[in-house]
Amino acid sequence: IIEGEFQDERYWEHREKEVDEWLKVETLEVPNDTCVIGFRGGEFALYPDLFLTKEYWEEAMKIMVKDYGVKRFQIHTDDAQLADKFFSEIGIAPQVIHDIGINWRSMRYAKHAIIANSSFFILPRWLRQHIVNPDPADCDSPVTIAPRYWGRRNTKVWSLPQNYYSRFKYL
């Protein structure tokens, strides 16, 4: 059992192989033309400074389609009802998955991901990334798009500087 808020990669980056082994789960195949979206609803939706805007998700999805050849999106979430409504309003028919085991494994093994500013998505995506700042021209590299300023993207202030992960691409 590990308790605490260990969200700064400096706590565990030097033990990546061990962390990878500790958090190993059964592989889940996600097609390379699919992007998993880690959408955080719940109490996040109550706070305008914290809840990510439609513009963030739309721009991230456009990047995934244009730069990485993504054709499909899966929404992995703690709030299926809000995710269905939210992404339907953006204009995509979402495939919403609310199953913590599948959510974790999808985040852990998918090549492409767009994540919310939620600690649930940090480790599975960090472990999936094998290079720093993926180059869109390198089709074999996994990519994770995350919100710049993490918990305060909407106010443009890095209020949680420990939540900067060198392996993520920020928007």
Side-chain angles (χ1 to χ4, degrees):
I1 295 175
I2 301 173
E3 289 189 39
E5 189 175 306
F6 304 101
Q7 293 185 8
D8 190 319
E9 68 185 358
R10 291 173 293 183
Y11 283 118
W12 25 264
E13 68 185 341
H14 61 287
R15 299 184 79 173
E16 179 177 2
K17 288 181 182 175
E18 291 168 287
V19 173
D20 187 41
E21 189 61 37
W22 297 335
L23 300 178
K24 194 164 283 208
V25 293
E26 181 182 342
T27 304
L28 180 70
E29 295 296 324
V30 178
N32 283 344
D33 68 347
T34 299
C35 175
V36 296
I37 293 177
F39 179 78
R40 179 66 190 268
E43 72 276 10
F44 275 40
L46 301 174
Y47 300 98
D49 289 355
L50 191 58
F51 190 63
L52 294 169
T53 64
K54 288 181 183 173
E55 292 77 19
Y56 167 75
W57 299 106
E58 288 172 328
E59 189 173 346
M61 289 188 295
K62 284 178 188 174
I63 290 169
M64 283 295 184
V65 169
K66 181 180 172 271
D67 293 347
Y68 301 100
V70 166
K71 295 180 177 26
R72 292 181 297 218
F73 295 94
Q74 291 178 350
I75 317 303
H76 292 266
T77 185
D78 64 322
D79 191 336
Q81 185 176 5
L82 180 61
D84 187 55
K85 179 181 185 297
F86 188 90
F87 285 94
S88 292
E89 289 175 5
I90 287 178
I92 67 169
Q95 178 186 5
V96 177
I97 301 167
H98 175 60
D99 177 308
I100 196 167
I102 292 173
N103 298 150
W104 175 273
R105 290 169 53 216
S106 295
M107 285 292 149
R108 178 72 171 83
Y109 294 109
K111 183 175 178 180
H112 304 101
I114 303 167
I115 62 173
N117 46 349
S118 171
S119 59
F120 180 82
F121 306 115
I122 296 168
L123 280 171
R125 287 314 299 171
W126 189 86
L127 289 167
R128 177 63 171 102
Q129 299 293 136
H130 296 292
I131 62 171
V132 177
N133 299 324
D135 177 359
D138 183 355
C139 297
D140 293 327
S141 298
V143 64
T144 301
I145 295 178
R148 184 175 311 243
Y149 310 113
W150 197 253
R152 296 291 179 254
R153 182 179 191 276
N154 301 340
T155 61
K156 297 184 173 36
V157 174
W158 270 107
S159 61
L160 302 167
Q162 72 273 19
N163 289 106
Y164 175 82
Y165 306 97
S166 60
R167 297 178 181 191
F168 297 169
K169 176 182 175 130
Y170 288 93
L171 181 62

